[in-house]
Amino acid sequence: MQYQALNNKIIELVGGKENIQAVVHCMTRLRFTLKDREKADTEALKSIDDVIDVVNNNVSYQIIIGTHVADVYDELVTMLGIKNNTDEIVADKPKKNIVKSILDVVSESMTPILEPIICAGLLAALLSIISLTGIISVDSSTYKIFDALRTAVFYFLPILMAMSSAKRLGASPYLAVALAATILSAPINGVAGLTLFAIPLPQITYANSFIPILLAVWFMGYVTKFVKKIVPNTLQYFLTPLLIMLITLPATLIVFGPLGYYLGEGIIQFFNLLMKYVGSWFVMMLYSALQPFIVMLGAGNFIMPVVAALIASDGYDPAFISSATISDIAVGGAMLGYFLKTRNSKQKQLFGTVTLSAILGVTEPAIYGVFVKFRRPFIAVMIGGGLGGLFAGLTGVKAYSIAWGLFGLPAYIGKGDFMNLWLMVTAVIISFVGAAIAAYVLGIPAEDGIPSQESVIKPKKLQADSESHYTTLSVDSVVDGKLVQLSEINDAAFSSGAMGKGVGIYPNVNQIASPVTGTITAVFPTKHALGITGSDGVEVLVHIGIDTVELEGQYFEVLVKQGDTIESGQPIANVDFEKVKAAGYEIPVIIIITNTNEYLDIIPIADKDVKVNESVMNIILR
C-alpha cells in the first residue's frame, strides 16, 4: 500500500479509527465526519509533508491532499475497514468495454517499444534495396550483421513487451523481463518433448510473439498482489520474487503458451478446410483482409508449415504468401491514406514512416504503432486487402517461393510465368489503392488520438526575448468576469499551486464554457467540477466556487456528460451564482492545468476583465 504510512498518521491525528464516523473525498481533499473534532490535532496534520492544508468548517473536517487523493482514499477506507461510501467521486463512469480495454492495454504496451520496431522496419527496407542493387550481397558478413539487428527486435519482442506492459499490469518489470527471457531460452523455446510436473508441454516457439507474454504478465500482476498480501513484510525482499516466478512460469508454460499455440493451429485448420471445400480464392480474400489481426495475435508465422508443405508437394503456394503480400501492401496503402488525410505533423511523420516499411513487407510498425491504437485502419485494410485478394484468387495467382513484400514480387515469375507476375502486380495495386481510398474516407476520429483539423488548437508564437521564441498553446476563459491570479484564491489547494498552475475568474454571468477543444473526462455528481482533456493533451480542471461541493448540485446545471466531445467556447454548465453567494459560498471559477509538470511553463495573463474565448493562459511547450 503506497500511502500506508501517510494514512496511519492521518488516522492517528484525527483521533483514531473510533473517532471517524465517515469519510469521503472530492477532487483534492479527504472530508471527514468526526465524532469529536477536539480530538483532531490540526497543527500536527498540517505539518505532514504530504498534506497541503487542513480546513475545519461547519460541514466537515477537510484534509487537502492533492489530485492523487483518490488513491489515498482507496487505501484509507481499506485500512479503516469501512465501506467505500463516497458520493463525490467522478460520476457516470462508463461501463468497461472488454474488447476496448484489451486493445487499450496492447496499445499502451506497444507505444514505448515503437522506437526499436520502427528501426527494424526501416532497416528491413534499406537492406532489401541495397541487396537488390548489388551494393551488398546477402551472403556478406556486413549484411548479416545488420540483418541480425532487424531480426533480433522481433525475435525478442516478448522481452520488449514484458518490459513495457509490466507496470501497466501491476507486475515488476524486472521479473517480467526475466520471465520473457526464460521462455525464449534454448531449453524452452521451440523445444519438443518437454514436461512440467509430469504434464506434457506442446512444442511452442515464443519468439516473434507477444500474446503469451502479455497474458503471462497480466497474470503476474495478480500473483504479485496475492503474494504481497500473504508474505510478512520482513520476508518480502527474499520470498516475494521467488514465489511470483514459481507460480507464474508454470502457468505460462501450461496455460498461456498452449493458448497461443492452439489459436495458431485453429487458424491453420480453418484455412485448410476453406481451401478444400470453398476454394483458394475465398481463402486469399479472407486472409488478405484479416492478416493484420493474425499478426497482432502473434500467429503470423503459423502459416509457414502449411506454405512449406504446399510448395514441397505442388511447387507453389496457391494462397498464403500471395495474400500476405497483398495484405502488407494494403497496410501501406492505408497508412498512405492517413498520411494524406491528417494535418497533424507528428502523426504525418509516423504514417509516412510506417508506409514504407509496410510496402516492403514489414507491417509490425504499422500494426503495433497505429492499427491497435486507432482501430479504423483495420477496416481500410479489410476493404483494400479483401479486394486485392479476391482478384488474385479468381485469377489463380501462385507464389513459387517464400518471399513477400514489394521486393518479393520476382517470386511470382516462376519458370517464365510472367502473366502470373502481372496478375499479382495488378492485385497489389488494387489492394494498395483500395486501402488508401478507404483510409482517407474513413479518417480517424479525434477521440482515437488524432484531432480533426477543426479541433486542433493552433500554436502561436510568444516572444520570450529579442533572440528566442517559444511555441505556445492558449487556454481561454470559461466565463465573462474579473480574472485574478491563483494566489488570490481563498483555498490553499488552489492558491498554493499544488494542483497545478491556473487562474481564477469572478463571474458576472451564469453560463460556463469550455476553455479548450477536447473531451469531457470527468463530471462530478455534485456538478461543481468538470475535467476536460484538450485535443493537444492539455488536462484542465474547471472548479466552480469554493467548497460548493457542500451544495450537492443545488443551483448547478451541467450541460455535458462524460465522454462528450466539445469545442472551445461551448457552454458546459449554468450556475445561479447569486443563490450560491446567498448560501454563503465564494464563487470564483478556477481553471487549473492539472498536468502542469508536462510543460516548460504556464503563464497567466494579468488581472483584468475577460470574456469567453479570450485567452487567459499561455502554455509554453517544451
Side-chain angles (χ1 to χ4, degrees):
M1 299 180 71
Q2 185 178 356
Y3 301 104
Q4 184 173 11
L6 170 62
N7 281 323
N8 277 329
K9 290 181 182 178
I10 290 174
I11 292 170
E12 177 188 353
L13 294 174
V14 297
K17 290 183 181 182
E18 62 280 359
N19 195 39
I20 300 173
Q21 184 175 334
V23 58
V24 296
H25 80 84
C26 64
M27 189 67 182
T28 62
R29 61 197 74 194
L30 298 169
R31 296 174 181 270
F32 288 87
T33 301
L34 301 178
K35 296 176 182 178
D36 183 359
R37 293 197 189 187
E38 297 299 323
K39 293 183 178 180
D41 190 339
T42 300
E43 293 305 315
L45 283 165
K46 287 182 178 180
S47 68
I48 299 175
D49 290 339
D50 294 318
V51 171
I52 298 171
D53 199 2
V54 177
V55 177
N56 186 2
N57 60 27
N58 293 331
V59 177
S60 63
Y61 192 86
Q62 304 169 22
I63 300 177
I64 303 173
I65 300 294
T67 54
H68 60 293
V69 67
D71 296 328
V72 176
Y73 172 83
D74 287 341
E75 292 188 12
L76 175 64
V77 293
T78 300
M79 294 169 65
L80 291 173
I82 62 177
K83 181 181 178 182
N84 184 330
N85 61 344
T86 181
D87 58 357
E88 297 180 30
I89 303 176
V90 176
D92 302 325
K93 289 185 179 180
K95 293 181 179 179
K96 290 185 177 180
N97 182 312
I98 186 64
V99 175
K100 184 179 184 299
S101 297
I102 292 171
L103 290 176
D104 286 344
V105 169
V106 174
S107 175
E108 292 170 17
S109 300
M110 277 296 172
T111 299
I113 61 176
L114 280 181
E115 285 184 295
I117 288 177
I118 290 176
C119 171
L122 291 177
L123 184 59
L126 178 63
L127 290 173
S128 297
I129 293 170
I130 63 177
S131 63
L132 284 174
T133 56
I135 298 175
I136 298 177
S137 169
V138 295
D139 296 321
S140 68
S141 297
T142 301
Y143 181 95
K144 292 177 180 178
I145 288 172
F146 283 104
D147 191 52
L149 171 60
R150 177 190 65 82
T151 57
V153 169
F154 296 109
Y155 182 90
F156 292 107
L157 184 60
I159 290 179
L160 297 175
M161 176 57 74
M163 181 184 300
S164 65
S165 67
K167 285 188 177 179
R168 172 69 172 77
L169 296 173
S172 162
Y174 301 101
L175 292 181
V177 167
L179 178 65
T182 301
I183 63 175
L184 287 173
S185 63
I188 295 176
N189 187 48
V191 176
L194 291 177
T195 61
L196 182 63
F197 305 129
I199 301 172
L201 303 177
Q203 183 178 357
I204 299 171
T205 300
Y206 290 98
N208 303 298
S209 68
F210 77 90
I211 293 295
I213 192 62
L214 190 60
L215 291 172
V217 174
W218 167 79
F219 178 71
M220 179 182 281
Y222 284 98
V223 172
T224 300
K225 292 179 183 178
F226 171 74
V227 170
K228 286 185 176 180
K229 284 182 179 179
I230 64 172
V231 174
N233 289 337
T234 55
L235 299 176
Q236 289 272 355
Y237 185 80
F238 302 100
L239 286 184
T240 297
L242 176 62
L243 290 176
I244 289 172
M245 294 300 285
L246 287 177
I247 296 171
T248 307
L249 178 59
T252 302
L253 297 177
I254 295 172
V255 179
F256 305 122
L259 184 62
Y261 171 78
Y262 290 120
L263 174 63
E265 284 294 299
I267 292 172
I268 293 175
Q269 294 303 320
F270 173 70
F271 283 116
N272 278 337
L273 289 173
L274 286 177
M275 290 174 65
K276 181 178 179 180
Y277 294 107
V278 180
S280 61
W281 65 269
F282 184 75
V283 174
M284 294 186 75
M285 178 183 70
L286 198 61
Y287 194 88
S288 298
L290 299 181
Q291 185 186 235
F293 291 100
I294 296 170
V295 172
M296 189 185 70
L297 291 171
N301 291 328
F302 285 114
I303 63 167
M304 289 300 104
V306 177
V307 172
L310 288 170
I311 292 178
S313 61
D314 303 330
Y316 61 87
D317 165 26
F320 293 105
I321 294 298
S322 305
S323 300
T325 296
I326 290 168
S327 182
D328 289 348
I329 301 300
V331 170
M335 294 300 91
L336 179 64
Y338 287 126
F339 174 82
L340 298 173
K341 179 78 171 181
T342 186
R343 305 278 182 91
N344 184 301
S345 59
K346 184 177 180 180
Q347 299 298 338
K348 189 176 283 288
Q349 182 180 9
L350 172 62
F351 293 150
T353 299
V354 298
T355 295
L356 177 61
S357 65
I359 291 173
L360 296 174
V362 182
T363 58
E364 283 86 354
I367 292 172
Y368 296 143
V370 179
F371 281 47
V372 170
K373 182 177 182 181
F374 299 132
R375 323 281 202 268
R376 287 190 183 182
F378 283 114
I379 301 174
V381 171
M382 289 177 70
I383 293 171
L387 290 173
L390 177 61
F391 176 85
L394 292 173
T395 55
V397 171
K398 305 176 182 67
Y400 293 104
S401 64
I402 301 177
W404 56 85
L406 189 63
F407 291 108
L409 291 179
Y412 294 87
I413 298 175
K415 297 179 179 179
D417 189 0
F418 283 96
M419 179 54 68
N420 187 65
L421 171 63
W422 300 129
L423 290 173
M424 180 60 182
V425 170
T426 303
V428 162
I429 292 173
I430 291 172
S431 70
F432 183 81
V433 174
I437 294 173
Y440 190 89
V441 172
L442 286 170
I444 298 180
E447 62 266 24
D448 278 346
I450 301 179
S452 62
Q453 177 62 14
E454 293 78 12
S455 69
V456 173
I457 302 176
K458 295 182 179 179
K460 58 184 179 181
K461 295 294 183 179
L462 174 69
Q463 186 166 343
D465 53 49
S466 59
E467 298 181 354
S468 63
H469 292 78
Y470 298 109
T471 301
T472 69
L473 299 175
S474 176
V475 176
D476 295 339
S477 174
V478 298
V479 68
D480 297 353
K482 173 68 175 179
L483 181 141
V484 298
Q485 300 305 306
L486 207 59
S487 57
E488 299 177 38
I489 299 299
N490 188 26
D491 188 297
F494 299 110
S495 61
S496 66
M499 291 185 60
K501 294 186 177 181
V503 297
I505 302 172
Y506 282 89
N508 53 35
V509 297
N510 288 338
Q511 189 167 84
I512 308 297
S514 175
V516 295
T517 292
T519 303
I520 299 291
T521 52
V523 178
F524 275 66
T526 47
K527 304 177 184 179
H528 74 293
L530 298 94
I532 306 170
T533 298
S535 301
D536 294 84
V538 179
E539 297 174 5
V540 185
L541 170 67
V542 179
H543 195 283
I544 306 169
I546 304 296
D547 286 331
T548 47
V549 63
E550 296 161 3
L551 291 171
E552 298 182 349
Q554 190 177 13
Y555 314 132
F556 292 79
E557 178 191 9
V558 176
L559 306 177
V560 292
K561 63 181 183 299
Q562 187 171 341
D564 282 356
T565 300
I566 55 171
E567 300 292 326
S568 179
Q570 178 180 332
I572 57 176
N574 291 321
V575 184
D576 191 332
F577 284 110
E578 289 302 319
K579 290 184 177 179
V580 173
K581 285 195 295 183
Y585 296 91
E586 295 186 48
I587 60 168
V589 181
I590 304 158
I591 312 170
I592 296 290
I593 308 302
T594 56
N595 58 340
T596 290
N597 292 336
E598 295 181 15
Y599 302 104
L600 185 63
D601 201 358
I602 296 174
I603 304 176
I605 66 170
D607 293 3
K608 69 170 190 174
D609 291 332
V610 293
K611 292 185 177 296
V612 170
N613 282 336
E614 182 179 342
S615 177
V616 294
M617 281 183 283
N618 283 308
I619 300 176
I620 302 180
L621 306 181
R622 292 188 184 277

